Amino acid sequence: MSSASGIAKDIDIDAQETQEWLQALQGVLQEVGPDRARFLLSRLSAAAQQWGINWRDARNTPYINTIRPEQEPPFPGGSDAQAIEEHLASVMRWNALAMVVRANRAYGELGGHIASYASAADLFEVGFNHFFRARDDKFAGDLVYFQPHSAPGIYARAFLEGALTEDDLGFYRREIEAKKHGKQGLSSYPHPWLMPDFWQFPTGSMGIGPINAIYQARFLRYLEHRGLLQDQDRKVWGVFGDGEMDEPESLAALSLASREKLDNLIFVVNCNLQRLDGPVRGNGHIVDELETLFAGAGWNVVKLLWGSDWDGLFARDKDGELLDALNRTVDGQLQTFAANDGAFNRERFFGQTPGTRKIAETLTDEEINRLRRGGHDMKKIHAAYYAAANHRGQPTVILAQTKKGYGMGAAGEGKMTTHQQKKLDEEVLIAFRNRFKLPISDEQCKNLAFYKPAADSAEMKHLLARRAALGGRMPRRISSVADEARLSVPAIETHATFALDAEGKEMSSTMALVRMLSSMLKDADFGKYVVPIVADEARTFGMANLFRQVGIYSSQGQLYEPEDIGSILSYREAKDGQILEEGITEAGAISSWTAAATSYSVHGLPMLPFYIYYSMFGFQRIGDLIWAAADQRARGFLIGATSGRTTLGGEGLQHQDGSSHIIAAGIPNCVSYDPAYAYEMAVIVDDGMRRMLERNEDVFYYITVTNENEAQPSMPQSGDVKEGILRGMYCLEAKAGAQVRLLAAGPMLKEALSAARTLQEQFGVTAEVWSVTSFTELARDGIAAERHHRLHPGETTRLPYATQQLQSSQAPVIAVSDYVRALSESIRAHVPARYVTLGTDGFGRSDTRANLRDFFEVDARWIAYTALTEVFGADAARLKDAAATLGIDLDKPLSTSV
């Protein structure tokens, strides 16, 4: 429900009868208590349904605060402490504003945001002063996901705390320039890669923060239930915007949070009622809509709408006229009221009925102008946070109503344009100074001087004392892993001997990976830190044997007898289960993976997650979430199963992936491979574990696997095979005097080997075959080598790895993969010979593997024919004969055109 009229008063045809019912309920409440009152209401509701009245309780509560004044706890330190904290919030508002306006005076294109933090400052300050506990030697720390547009305010607080300098603030949104001056610079939004000791979670892509916070809270419980972390009643806080809630990811996992009873999770939604261009819900109430969504999903909802100065007004509202006026005033009109003065609001809001006019008679126009919304009253905020932090059995959302651009006056408060306001004139700056009573001269105002109270002032002593009591400064990211927490990777032979010495055994690369994983999980020291994750279809990926081995995590254990209990592969849920089986939610599964992959930093506990999924539903579908994981310096394995466009016979275009490696290549710290053989997989996984867990490199791996069974050879004993696997290519079948060289990746390697035999046996052409495990790694190496030569002219010691491997011959090179040609094209500049690429461009199709590979022209026959076009040159007759011999249809349409 977003309509503000949804809970307005209906016409009462018998007021006396209504009053009698209300008095009866009030009597029960006074004499017996709320539990009895709730019981009676529930029985009445059930009876109404049984008798066919078809009535349901309103999904929305009245448009007032959930916590009544008499329920509010005392503000810590009393009114004096509250006054100090309100003044500090004003100082931070100024410094945040000055930072953004300074940057845009000097460089108009830098941008930045003032209005969001202006609305949220008090919400943040109550958290920082009383609830956000930092990590220290005894406590692992609360986790806070910060609203990205409020980043300037977080920097402003860090400046007062001493974590940032005035020079740092001067390099806001100028990170590159800052480095030239030996400074760090400040990123536009929370970004652990750019500010690795400051930001913990990247939230700049709106909608990512809420779902990540939910799965972070669940992963925290997972670690506690498995005994890997002590239960310290840590909280996960997320401060988000009401407009951000329109992102599907923001609401996608609400039911998970309630289903798992995540009372360690608290959302604070800053309801300033305005997004970038205008009202979030101009014709309704976003607060009511969010209350419906969160309450319906099972969350505890706390409305924080009106400040303390409204309490007296509500007390005088004997007939409910003021409440009724608020219920029916839509957000677009509330924004208009916010943008105007007390006289306007007296006439247009309080003037709606005789009763509301009378309520406002005791207020001056200035007092009406200063009526605060709940999100600007620290006492009310503290009460809401206190209730949320102590609520048990449910996650809590606090819907805090604020004014966007609070304090910006005519320049921005409640204005449609406030989000884009980056530059303020001198008159506005002085008005802002006066509004918040800041001890800054007119000249300092005009020059946008940063203000920091004296070190011995009451304000600074209070600020630092509060943070000391809560464990120190925040946000703060710890990037190093304590020596005692580091994991020692087991020798490759302990879990992958079957792959290194396969001796022709048949298996798919998926099965090889799962078999390695199963063996690792059995390791007494290492196995408990491995986190298998699937969205769904674990059985498709051959993981059913893990159900009994390590169990599926469930916070409730298993409350039922599974249908397949007699099977050795039966479904087993357990409170200490190790597999995270997320259901059909790729966004949820990657959020779980991110929580596990960053556990080394967030919890000081390295974990090794393997998320296995249909490769089509990874980078293409949830690429933004994968980017966020990269920003957060994740470490772990993403396994793209049933990968490629032709290995998944029958399924069709929606499931056939031909582009994930292209997208993965754009993420700097993603190391991607497309191995063909089990031994290649073993070498890659082993090296990845050592890089991430032993050498603490901030990389993550994307490895594609297929469900196509084939005979697996043992790993060649040549000394350069391992290096070649890791660097991207190695010669699998060397041939002296080869007339053509075939480069093939993943499942296309067996097609290339078959093509080489065909070329030799039917056409007398000698072909050399190379296994390409990563076109991406080869391309990155080539780019680095080219740059090295540009910066060091005359040096010839560094050649691209692909060039090194192929420079001994001028024989033409044919490259093929189960991905679009752009993948193999990425190394063209580094191939020192004629280079032709084959790939699977176009939409997928439903058919057999053989027909799919013929359609995309990547099977052994097409590889052989392409090789012959290079060897035979312009001899059309020979090529036509060869096509006939191979069964090639030279008139078939291009795969991208049908």
PDB file of all heavy atoms in Angstrom, residues 19 27 213 398 527:
ATOM      1  N   GLN A  19     -17.222   3.993  20.313  1.00  0.00           N
ATOM      2  CA  GLN A  19     -16.568   4.376  21.554  1.00  0.00           C
ATOM      3  C   GLN A  19     -16.670   3.272  22.603  1.00  0.00           C
ATOM      4  O   GLN A  19     -15.727   3.026  23.361  1.00  0.00           O
ATOM      5  CB  GLN A  19     -17.204   5.676  22.082  1.00  0.00           C
ATOM      6  CG  GLN A  19     -16.413   6.345  23.191  1.00  0.00           C
ATOM      7  CD  GLN A  19     -15.021   6.761  22.743  1.00  0.00           C
ATOM      8  OE1 GLN A  19     -14.785   7.061  21.582  1.00  0.00           O
ATOM      9  NE2 GLN A  19     -14.069   6.748  23.668  1.00  0.00           N
ATOM     10  N   GLY A  27     -10.105  -1.052  28.481  1.00  0.00           N
ATOM     11  CA  GLY A  27     -10.247  -1.642  29.802  1.00  0.00           C
ATOM     12  C   GLY A  27      -9.444  -2.931  29.937  1.00  0.00           C
ATOM     13  O   GLY A  27      -8.791  -3.175  30.953  1.00  0.00           O
ATOM     14  N   ALA A 213      24.068  -6.889   2.847  1.00  0.00           N
ATOM     15  CA  ALA A 213      23.962  -6.809   4.301  1.00  0.00           C
ATOM     16  C   ALA A 213      23.168  -7.989   4.853  1.00  0.00           C
ATOM     17  O   ALA A 213      23.526  -8.563   5.894  1.00  0.00           O
ATOM     18  CB  ALA A 213      23.297  -5.487   4.696  1.00  0.00           C
ATOM     19  N   ILE A 398      14.082   0.413  10.505  1.00  0.00           N
ATOM     20  CA  ILE A 398      13.661   1.706  11.031  1.00  0.00           C
ATOM     21  C   ILE A 398      13.388   2.607   9.837  1.00  0.00           C
ATOM     22  O   ILE A 398      14.286   2.871   9.032  1.00  0.00           O
ATOM     23  CB  ILE A 398      14.748   2.317  11.938  1.00  0.00           C
ATOM     24  CG1 ILE A 398      14.993   1.411  13.148  1.00  0.00           C
ATOM     25  CG2 ILE A 398      14.356   3.726  12.372  1.00  0.00           C
ATOM     26  CD1 ILE A 398      16.224   1.777  13.938  1.00  0.00           C
ATOM     27  N   GLY A 527      39.587 -28.455   5.772  1.00  0.00           N
ATOM     28  CA  GLY A 527      38.258 -28.646   5.192  1.00  0.00           C
ATOM     29  C   GLY A 527      37.174 -27.766   5.771  1.00  0.00           C
ATOM     30  O   GLY A 527      36.251 -27.351   5.061  1.00  0.00           O
TER      31      GLY A 527
END
